[in-house]
């Protein structure tokens, strides 16, 4: 088994992704939201950050993919420390 992937295989995968234009639900923190959105848009996907636990389930039903970080989800946003 080879550990390398050919340029043609990568190009084919990117073309297939762009043909589908998947809607990706991102469950991530606000710090990485902009970076992740830019990566997904550059790859040819559409992105939505749904961080409200009451909305996430319904959106997951229509999303083609889901990207998540391993942080704790709550129903409330953190309160500022000031």
């Amino acid at each position: 088994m080879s550990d390398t992937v050919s340029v043609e295989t990568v190009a084919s995968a990117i073309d297939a992704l762009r043909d589908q234009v998947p809607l990706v639900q991102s469950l991530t923190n606000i710090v990485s939201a902009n970076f992740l959105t830019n990566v997904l848009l550059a790859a040819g996907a559409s992105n939505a950050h749904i961080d409200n636990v009451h909305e996430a389930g319904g959106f997951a039903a229509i999303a083609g993919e889901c990207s998540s970080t391993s942080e704790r989800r709550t129903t409330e946003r953190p309160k500022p420390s000031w």
Side-chain angles (χ1 to χ4, degrees):
M1 177 189 251
S2 175
D3 291 332
T4 60
V5 178
S6 71
V7 172
E8 293 80 14
T9 300
V10 173
S12 177
I14 292 172
D15 288 342
L17 175 83
R18 290 183 175 157
D19 287 344
Q20 294 177 12
V21 190
L23 176 59
V24 178
Q25 178 180 8
S26 299
L27 305 171
T28 187
N29 62 47
I30 196 65
V31 174
S32 63
N34 190 47
F35 178 77
L36 180 58
T37 296
N38 287 334
V39 169
L40 290 169
L41 289 172
S46 295
N47 189 34
H49 291 277
I50 307 297
D51 62 356
N52 181 310
V53 296
H54 301 293
E55 298 172 351
F59 192 84
I62 64 169
E65 300 294 332
C66 182
S67 171
S68 177
T69 61
S70 59
E71 64 186 53
R72 181 174 167 258
R73 292 282 161 208
T74 65
T75 58
E76 297 179 16
R77 291 203 178 264
K79 306 238 185 312
S81 60
W82 62 73

